[in-house]
């Protein structure tokens, strides 16, 4: 990626982080990047295309962070909790993700909803691959990895974010125990127990 395009992306990221996607104009981005508005259109046909480029870079960085968080030779559940804790922390430390999440809740901008959905899809795809590996290693019984990754991710996100809006926040060990109880052990009684 050339320097000018990267400068524009960084300017757009800065503007989206401060003003939100919807309130950001191409003029603002050009001013922050110190380029002419026409220069922006040399690299990006629209503000939406810029947002997609930013999200794509964010996802690459997030995958790298997630991969580096996987403990060596740890069972799936230990890896799962460590990775999701790391991803959640990573997202919560990025001004852009915070601002885009607020925009989704408060305004419901369709382009931002689509961008945030693509981030979630990437996370679920990452988990899905890890579930497939855990099944192959005999750590998990056979299941639909796509559905399981979606459910595990949504449960994790809800326990981290939504739970604390109504109750005392859970720490990462409590969340790990709940994930283990509901997904790994299951809550149903085994035949010999009833």
């Amino acid at each position: 990626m050339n320097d000018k395009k990267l400068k524009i992306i960084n300017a757009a990221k800065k503007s989206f982080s401060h003003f939100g996607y919807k309130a950001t104009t191409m003029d603002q981005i050009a001013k922050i990047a110190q380029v002419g508005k026409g220069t922006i259109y040399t690299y990006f046909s629209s503000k939406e295309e810029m947002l997609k480029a930013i999200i794509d870079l964010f996802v690459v960085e997030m995958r790298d962070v997630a991969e580096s968080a996987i403990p060596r030779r740890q069972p799936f559940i230990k890896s799962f909790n460590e990775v999701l804790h790391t991803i959640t922390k990573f997202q919560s430390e990025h001004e852009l993700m915070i601002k885009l999440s607020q925009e989704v809740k408060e305004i419901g901008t369709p382009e931002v909803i689509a961008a945030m959905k693509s981030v979630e899809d990437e996370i679920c795809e990452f988990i899905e691959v890890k579930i497939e590996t855990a099944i192959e290693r005999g750590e998990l019984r056979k299941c639909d990895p796509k559905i399981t990754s979606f459910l595990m991710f949504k449960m994790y996100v809800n326990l981290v974010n939504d739970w604390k809006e109504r109750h005392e926040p859970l720490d990462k060990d409590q969340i790990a125990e709940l994930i283990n109880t509901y997904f790994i052990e299951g809550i149903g009684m085994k035949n010999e127990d009833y």
Side-chain angles (χ1 to χ4, degrees):
M1 186 178 305
N2 75 39
D3 290 343
K4 202 167 272 195
K5 185 174 183 179
L6 189 57
K7 193 174 181 181
I8 293 166
I9 286 174
N10 288 332
K13 187 169 29 172
K14 185 175 183 178
S15 188
F16 294 160
S17 296
H18 290 313
F19 306 111
Y21 173 81
K22 189 170 185 158
T24 292
T25 66
M26 293 299 238
D27 288 326
Q28 286 171 319
I29 295 168
K31 185 176 181 178
I32 294 168
Q34 298 177 335
V35 298
K37 194 169 157 181
T39 303
I40 292 175
Y41 287 108
T42 302
Y43 298 100
F44 300 99
S45 62
S46 66
K47 191 167 71 165
E48 187 175 357
E49 188 180 325
M50 250 187 280
L51 178 62
K52 183 175 177 353
I54 291 167
I55 293 299
D56 289 348
L57 290 172
F58 176 82
V59 165
V60 167
E61 187 180 353
M62 185 177 62
R63 274 187 177 267
D64 290 345
V65 167
E67 283 292 347
S68 68
I70 297 174
R72 296 270 180 232
R73 296 186 177 97
Q74 290 291 330
F76 169 78
I77 192 62
K78 178 76 174 159
S79 297
F80 172 80
N81 285 306
E82 207 49 50
V83 166
L84 277 185
H85 174 72
T86 301
I87 288 171
T88 303
K89 187 174 184 240
F90 177 76
Q91 285 182 303
S92 70
E93 292 172 349
H94 278 73
E95 277 186 76
L96 176 65
M97 289 293 115
I98 295 166
K99 191 65 171 180
L100 293 179
S101 294
Q102 286 174 339
E103 188 165 329
V104 166
K105 285 181 181 176
E106 295 169 9
I107 302 172
T109 308
E111 296 87 352
V112 178
I113 291 170
M116 296 304 281
K117 182 185 173 305
S118 74
V119 171
E120 278 191 12
D121 289 347
E122 286 290 333
I123 295 168
C124 287
E125 185 181 299
F126 181 86
I127 297 167
E128 182 180 345
V129 170
K130 301 306 176 194
I131 289 171
E132 289 167 351
T133 303
I135 291 169
E136 289 168 10
R137 290 193 310 220
E139 293 178 37
L140 298 175
R141 69 175 175 246
K142 205 166 186 169
C143 63
D144 184 319
K146 184 178 278 315
I147 292 171
T148 305
S149 66
F150 176 82
L151 291 172
M152 290 178 91
F153 173 68
K154 288 297 189 177
M155 180 179 180
Y156 188 89
V157 168
N158 283 303
L159 288 172
V160 169
N161 297 324
D162 297 343
W163 179 264
K164 70 182 175 193
E165 291 176 11
R166 297 184 181 114
H167 308 282
E168 188 68 30
L170 300 169
D171 65 35
K172 75 177 193 173
D173 292 331
Q174 290 172 304
I175 293 170
E177 183 60 35
L178 289 167
I179 298 277
N180 191 51
T181 298
Y182 291 108
F183 280 97
I184 306 306
E185 296 170 6
I187 60 171
M189 302 290 280
K190 297 186 179 21
N191 285 340
E192 64 269 8
D193 293 336
Y194 58 89

